[in-house]
């Protein structure tokens, strides 16, 4: 079993207060996942100048994975105060690539791309999304060059919840 799957199951059981076999699955759209990840833009924004100075290096992936696990335990920006710039760069690349994945799936009208327990409190969706989608993430595309790094605008681009 992958470390990420185990960490996710522990997180979901802690946050729902229920064992996995009693969860009611809830299917969410790409817009829902994007809505859960969107607050992370504000976590990266203050560090963007520092991150833009760096190329992506795989040697920081393990540190980034540890940062993801730490964030799931304490989902506040200060959780990452002590991580290296290289780990920040890896985390930002994972974030930006997931934003692209969500946008592509949403525009393709994919019905559901994320299933979470219905019992998971809405306030825990960001930490759940970060843990499920960023931990041990294999990038679908080549990392951006530092000069190509831009965060999305402050406003969410589409419906967060089904209309």
């Amino acid at each position: 079993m992958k470390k990420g799957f185990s960490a996710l199951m522990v997180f979901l059981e802690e946050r729902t207060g229920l064992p996995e076999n009693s969860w009611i699955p809830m299917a969410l759209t790409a817009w829902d996942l994007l809505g859960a990840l969107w607050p992370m833009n504000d976590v990266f924004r203050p560090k963007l100048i520092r991150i833009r100075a760096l190329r992506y290096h795989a040697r920081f992936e393990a540190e980034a994975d540890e940062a993801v696990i730490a964030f799931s335990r304490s989902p506040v920006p200060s959780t990452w105060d002590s991580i290296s710039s290289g780990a920040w760069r890896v985390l930002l690349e994972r974030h930006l690539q997931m934003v692209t994945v969500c946008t592509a799936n949403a525009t393709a009208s994919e019905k559901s791309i994320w299933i979470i327990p219905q019992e998971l409190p809405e306030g825990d969706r960001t930490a759940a999304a970060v843990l499920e989608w960023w931990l041990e993430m294999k990038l679908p595309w080549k990392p951006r060059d530092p000069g190509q790094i831009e965060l999305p605008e402050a406003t969410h681009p589409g419906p967060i919840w089904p209309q």
Side-chain angles (χ1 to χ4, degrees):
M1 184 180 310
K2 290 180 74 173
K3 174 174 72 172
F5 183 77
S6 297
L8 179 64
M9 290 300 106
V10 168
F11 172 84
L12 293 172
E13 286 184 352
E14 286 175 356
R15 299 304 169 112
T16 63
L18 299 168
E20 177 188 2
N21 62 1
S22 66
W23 298 336
I24 299 169
M26 180 169 64
L28 298 176
T29 67
W31 287 123
D32 297 324
L33 177 55
L34 188 58
L37 291 171
W38 204 255
M40 297 307 292
N41 289 321
D42 292 333
V43 173
F44 290 108
R45 213 169 296 284
K47 309 284 186 191
L48 195 55
I49 291 173
R50 184 172 100 184
I51 297 169
R52 272 192 189 135
L54 301 171
R55 290 202 171 277
Y56 184 100
H57 289 286
R59 71 176 176 256
F60 294 105
E61 290 174 350
E63 182 184 356
D65 287 336
E66 292 305 317
V68 166
I69 291 170
F71 187 81
S72 73
R73 292 182 186 132
S74 179
V76 294
S78 61
T79 300
W80 290 347
D81 281 352
S82 63
I83 66 172
S84 70
S85 295
W88 274 102
R89 176 66 178 91
V90 169
L91 292 166
L92 178 60
E93 190 64 39
R94 290 175 182 181
H95 175 64
L96 293 174
Q97 292 208 15
M98 278 309 302
V99 167
T100 303
V101 166
C102 289
T103 304
N105 277 279
T107 56
S109 299
E110 294 294 330
K111 299 289 183 214
S112 167
I113 67 167
W114 190 31
I115 297 175
I116 60 172
Q118 181 177 305
E119 299 83 1
L120 182 69
E122 220 171 280
D124 288 327
R125 286 186 183 177
T126 295
V130 166
L131 186 58
E132 181 167 353
W133 295 93
W134 295 5
L135 187 61
E136 300 175 337
M137 181 181 178
K138 300 299 177 217
L139 299 177
W141 300 282
K142 179 182 160 206
R144 291 163 177 79
D145 288 329
Q148 297 175 323
I149 297 173
E150 294 293 332
L151 281 171
E153 295 299 318
T155 319
H156 187 276
I160 294 178
W161 308 118
Q163 303 293 314

